[in-house]
């Protein structure tokens, strides 16, 4: 049977996927050809959404990108009715060819193996691609200790940012006896530019449910929580459907697959506090308290949720578990480096041509991801830096982008693997302003429990704001560095301890930009509004008046066919004049 499948993750819906589906459904109903029109999650090519896939009766698959209502009709008439693919719209086909073949050819999909392949609201689709086979194997062929040993042997480390060995974490929780234990999925994804967890939950919620059930069996936890952001309504809806389906099929409940093992799941919707990504703050939030980190020890494995032994893993970590148990630790460890095994999912964003979700074997370089998979910068200008690890990470400059993606190698640059944010910047980005942006985020999200984070980041932000306004003074960089080290050493939780990373790395690699802002009162990239002005070049201005007509504050004066002038005291530096000038007469100084 032929099928038409539309990508309806958040990215596909935002790009207009629902309209494309409605159009194709109407055409399919009218043609009366026995066609099915289905949906799937994001397959990673967010930049090409809305995406439509046509699966022919002979198994051939053709994927189209940028499908609006008009293109949907053309695809239906040419491919579905006429049997001829619409060649200029094809981005990938069964032969691995198409305009976007480079996006996938170096990826290894373990976590994302079913994303973009199945209907996330169909457990039958998931089972057809081996969902819950790992759980079945664990319950029927392995002891809890054997499961922990297999996870340990795989070498998988926590994919949420800390990089702590997952098997060791499970061992700690298993080793503490209690009448009740909990396993928790941390889906409180809050990094700017990060969308890994959301896409996994929207595209394959069963992978996370299976990972939780296996983990619960291994450590003796009969209850699990999925702490997910309330801002992820599609992920939450599909999780609820998946949990209900898993209960009906016996993968969750009182007697899983007839094994006598009990495991149940509860969804807890978070309120969007970044600090609740820290595991002890997350626990406090589930308990109904304000999300603030606890002093450790005791660690959650000893006294966690409701003072019972608990284990917290993030979405990506758990989504690996079913595959590891199903295929074995050695298969997972075959990917990666000597010290970091497996694959890693990244949200590739910023000024990159092919932004989206990518899963690569650990060991690729940053350059390979940005240039080969991402297609280079969107502007075509040289990449200047990549921010790795979100607000807790650091900026890797262009001359270090041949760094291998590995926990230790990235840490040596001052950045971190983090949960998987990878934001690409080109030469137009001001690195001082980038540091200000990330620090503004972490400062506003500080829970306020410890002075070093609450007050220290506030003082740092004040200094950075002064510098970007042209009010920086000698000694500011030294103050920023001193404050950074004090916060890293004394903040209570990991989020506070890593908050200075963007500042430290931009000072380390882009110190000349700080110097220009402080000493010369200039922003080299012309991004800091207080340090720039828009000027009309005499030799290029022909007096067409378009800039004056479009200026929202009437800051441009001049007569027709005479050179115009921008009154700097009125100019708000909105940039409209530069955007509308057809003669490149408006420049930024």
């Amino acid at each position: 049977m032929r099928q038409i499948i539309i990508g309806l993750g958040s990215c596909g819906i935002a790009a207009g996927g629902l309209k494309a589906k409605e159009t194709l459904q109407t055409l399919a109903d009218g043609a009366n050809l026995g066609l099915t029109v289905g949906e799937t999650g994001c397959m990673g090519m967010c930049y090409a959404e809305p995406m439509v896939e046509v699966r022919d009766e002979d198994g051939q698959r053709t994927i189209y990108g940028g499908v609006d209502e008009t293109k949907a009709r053309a695809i239906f008439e040419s491919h579905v009715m006429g049997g001829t693919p619409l060649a200029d719209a094809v981005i990938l086909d069964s032969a691995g060819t198409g305009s976007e073949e480079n996006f996938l050819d170096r990826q290894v999909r373990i976590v994302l193996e079913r994303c973009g392949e199945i209907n996330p609201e169909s457990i039958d689709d998931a089972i057809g691609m081996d969902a819950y086979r790992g759980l079945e194997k664990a319950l029927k062929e392995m002891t809890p200790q054997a499961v922990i040993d297999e996870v340990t042997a795989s070498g998988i480390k926590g994919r949420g940012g800390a990089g702590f060995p997952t098997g060791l974490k499970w061992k700690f929780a298993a080793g503490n006896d209690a009448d009740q234990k909990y396993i928790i999925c941390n889906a409180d994804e809050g990094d700017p530019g990060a969308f890994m967890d959301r896409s996994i939950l929207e595209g394959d919620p069963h992978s996370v449910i299976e990972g939780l059930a296996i983990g619960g069996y291994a450590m003796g936890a009969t209850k699990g929580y999925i702490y997910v952001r309330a801002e992820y309504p599609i992920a939450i809806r599909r999780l609820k459907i998946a949990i209900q389906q898993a209960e009906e099929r016996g993968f969750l409940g009182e007697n899983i697959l007839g094994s006598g093992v009990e495991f149940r799941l509860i969804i807890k919707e978070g309120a969007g506090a970044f600090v609740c990504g820290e595991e002890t703050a997350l626990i406090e939030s589930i308990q109904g308290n304000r999300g603030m980190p606890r002093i450790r020890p005791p660690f959650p494995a000893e006294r966690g949720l409701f003072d019972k032994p608990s284990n917290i893993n993030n979405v990506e970590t758990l989504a690996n578990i079913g595959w590891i148990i199903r295929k074995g630790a050695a298969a997972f460890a075959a990917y990666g480096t000597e010290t970091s095994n497996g694959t890693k999912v990244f949200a590739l964003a910023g000024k990159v041509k092919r932004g989206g979700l990518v899963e690569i074997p650990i060991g690729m370089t940053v350059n390979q991801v940005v240039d080969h998979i991402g297609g280079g910068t969107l502007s075509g200008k040289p990449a200047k830096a990549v921010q790795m690890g979100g607000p807790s990470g650091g900026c890797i400059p262009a001359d270090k982008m041949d760094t291998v993606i590995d926990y230790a190698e990235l840490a040596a640059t001052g950045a971190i693997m983090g949960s998987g944010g990878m934001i690409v910047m080109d030469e137009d980005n001001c690195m001082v302003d980038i540091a200000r942006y990330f620090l503004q985020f972490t400062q506003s999200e500080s829970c306020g429990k410890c002075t070093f984070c609450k007050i220290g980041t506030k003082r740092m932000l004040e200094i950075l704001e002064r510098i970007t306004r042209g009010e920086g003074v000698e000694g500011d960089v030294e103050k920023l560095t001193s404050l950074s080290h004090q916060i890293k050493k004394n903040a209570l939780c990991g989020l506070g301890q890593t908050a200075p990373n963007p500042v430290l790395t931009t000072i380390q690699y882009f110190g000349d930009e700080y110097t220009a802002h402080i000493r010369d009162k200039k922003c080299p990239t012309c991004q800091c509004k207080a340090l720039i002005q828009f000027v009309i070049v005499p030799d290029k201005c022909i007096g067409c008046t378009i800039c004056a007509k479009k200026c929202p504050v009437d800051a441009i004066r001049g007569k027709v066919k005479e050179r115009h002038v921008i009154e700097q005291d009125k100019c708000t530096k909105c940039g409209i004049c530069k955007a509308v000038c057809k003669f490149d007469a408006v420049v930024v100084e």
Side-chain angles (χ1 to χ4, degrees):
M1 180 184 293
R2 285 188 292 174
Q3 291 180 293
I4 302 173
I5 300 169
I6 296 91
L8 292 179
S10 289
C11 52
I13 292 171
L18 289 174
K19 290 182 179 180
K21 182 183 179 183
E22 183 181 347
T23 299
L24 290 164
Q25 186 69 67
T26 300
L27 292 169
D29 291 343
N32 196 27
L33 297 174
L35 283 166
T36 62
V37 179
E39 63 183 67
T40 188
C42 173
M43 70 177 295
M45 296 181 181
C46 304
Y47 65 95
E49 296 285 5
M51 289 169 55
V52 169
E53 179 180 340
V54 178
R55 296 183 183 178
D56 292 324
E57 293 171 335
D58 61 0
Q60 294 297 308
R61 302 172 59 182
T62 307
I63 300 173
Y64 298 94
V67 181
D68 56 14
E69 295 170 82
T70 301
K71 191 178 287 187
R73 292 190 184 93
I75 292 168
F76 191 87
E77 292 173 6
S78 177
H79 191 157
V80 178
M81 299 297 293
T84 303
L86 193 66
D88 60 351
V90 175
I91 61 173
L92 202 64
D93 59 24
S94 294
T97 59
S99 62
E100 306 305 312
E101 59 182 304
N102 286 349
F103 185 81
L104 291 174
D105 65 1
R106 293 194 185 184
Q107 294 191 46
V108 174
R109 294 168 75 86
I110 292 177
V111 171
L112 303 180
E113 66 173 339
R114 292 189 288 263
C115 291
E117 300 286 335
I118 65 169
N119 182 338
E121 297 181 15
S122 169
I123 194 171
D124 289 323
D125 278 10
I127 290 172
M129 289 190 68
D130 294 330
Y132 299 107
R133 295 284 179 86
L135 176 61
E136 185 176 12
K137 178 181 177 181
L139 294 174
K140 295 182 177 180
E141 302 177 24
M142 304 171 74
T143 64
Q145 184 59 52
V147 171
I148 293 175
D149 290 343
E150 194 74 9
V151 172
T152 302
S154 75
I156 184 172
K157 296 179 179 179
R159 299 305 200 234
F164 191 81
T166 302
L168 188 58
K169 202 171 188 179
W170 286 19
K171 178 183 177 181
F172 291 154
N176 290 298
D177 294 327
D179 58 346
Q180 179 66 61
K181 295 182 184 180
Y182 299 96
I183 182 171
I184 302 167
C185 172
N186 181 351
D188 190 58
E189 184 175 55
D191 292 8
F195 46 90
M196 300 78 60
D197 294 354
R198 171 176 58 76
S199 297
I200 294 166
L201 292 173
E202 289 178 356
D204 183 18
H206 293 284
S207 65
V208 179
I209 294 170
E210 181 178 18
L212 283 163
I214 293 171
Y217 168 65
M219 64 191 70
T222 57
K223 289 185 180 179
Y225 281 83
I226 302 178
Y227 187 94
V228 59
R229 297 201 141 225
E231 297 98 318
Y232 287 175
I234 299 170
I236 291 170
R237 178 171 60 83
R238 289 177 179 169
L239 267 173
K240 289 178 178 178
I241 292 169
I243 289 172
Q244 181 180 348
Q245 291 175 339
E247 289 173 344
E248 292 170 353
R249 294 297 184 92
F251 299 119
L252 294 175
E254 188 174 327
N255 181 23
I256 300 175
L257 298 177
S259 64
V261 173
E262 177 184 356
F263 186 72
R264 301 180 187 276
L265 274 177
I266 301 166
I267 294 175
K268 170 67 176 179
E269 295 184 33
F274 180 66
V275 73
C276 286
E278 197 279 335
E279 60 181 18
T280 60
L282 182 153
I283 287 171
E284 288 295 320
S285 182
I286 292 178
Q287 294 179 176
N289 303 323
R290 181 178 175 183
M292 301 177 81
R294 297 177 179 178
I295 296 174
R296 296 178 292 181
F299 291 91
E302 303 167 74
R303 289 177 55 194
L305 184 62
F306 305 120
D307 285 334
K308 302 294 184 179
S310 306
N311 180 88
I312 300 95
N313 296 116
N314 90 315
V315 168
E316 185 184 344
T317 306
L318 291 163
N320 275 293
I321 299 301
W323 192 97
I324 290 171
I325 299 301
R326 185 172 85 239
K327 296 199 173 186
F332 185 83
Y335 299 105
T337 64
E338 187 176 341
T339 58
S340 300
N341 294 352
T343 63
K344 180 72 187 78
V345 178
F346 287 98
L348 190 57
K351 294 182 177 180
V352 65
K353 190 175 295 182
R354 294 194 287 251
L357 204 66
V358 305
E359 183 173 5
I360 61 158
I362 292 175
M364 286 184 69
T365 66
V366 177
N367 263 332
Q368 287 173 329
V369 176
V370 173
D371 292 336
H372 185 86
I373 297 176
T377 64
L378 186 61
S379 64
K381 298 177 181 180
K384 182 176 184 177
V386 172
Q387 172 74 11
M388 296 279 290
S392 300
C395 291
I396 299 175
D399 62 2
K400 288 189 178 295
M401 282 172 58
D402 57 353
T403 298
V404 169
I405 295 174
D406 166 285
Y407 285 91
E409 294 290 330
L410 289 175
T413 69
I416 61 173
M417 182 88 76
S419 58
M422 187 181 287
I423 300 176
V424 180
M425 291 165 274
D426 67 14
E427 60 187 22
D428 289 335
N429 284 103
C430 170
M431 303 312 294
V432 181
D433 191 56
I434 289 293
R436 181 205 57 77
Y437 168 79
F438 280 109
L439 197 70
Q440 182 181 50
F441 177 85
T442 50
Q443 202 284 318
S444 66
E445 293 289 342
S446 173
C447 74
K449 186 170 184 175
C450 67
T451 303
F452 280 93
C453 178
K454 177 184 178 182
I455 305 301
T457 57
K458 179 67 173 175
R459 297 289 85 86
M460 289 180 68
L461 180 60
E462 289 170 350
I463 295 170
L464 286 167
E465 287 176 336
R466 282 197 293 101
I467 293 173
T468 56
R469 291 197 305 265
E471 299 169 6
V473 297
E474 294 294 338
D476 276 349
V477 170
E478 289 75 16
K479 287 179 183 177
L480 286 170
T481 304
S482 176
L483 283 166
S484 293
H485 291 305
Q486 291 180 57
I487 294 168
K488 288 176 72 69
K489 182 179 179 181
N490 296 292
L492 176 62
C493 77
L495 297 182
Q497 292 161 8
T498 55
N501 283 349
V503 179
L504 287 172
T505 52
T506 52
I507 289 174
Q508 179 181 358
Y509 299 121
F510 302 97
D512 58 329
E513 294 195 24
Y514 281 85
T515 299
H517 281 71
I518 294 169
R519 294 182 185 174
D520 305 330
K521 309 303 179 187
K522 294 287 186 182
C523 175
T525 59
C526 296
Q527 296 300 309
C528 297
K529 282 190 174 183
L531 300 178
I532 63 172
Q533 60 180 5
F534 287 82
V535 177
I536 296 176
V537 180
D539 294 342
K540 291 187 177 182
C541 179
I542 65 168
C544 69
T545 76
I546 186 67
C547 60
K549 291 176 181 178
K550 296 293 184 180
C551 179
V553 292
D554 294 323
I556 303 176
R557 56 181 174 81
K559 297 179 181 180
V560 177
K561 295 185 179 181
E562 292 182 5
R563 181 213 172 185
H564 283 46
V565 176
I566 299 174
E567 297 181 5
Q568 298 300 329
D569 57 337
K570 290 184 180 180
C571 179
T572 60
K573 302 172 185 177
C574 65
I576 292 176
C577 56
K578 181 174 173 61
V580 300
C581 181
K582 298 178 181 179
F583 305 97
D584 295 325
V586 182
V587 297
V588 184
E589 295 181 347

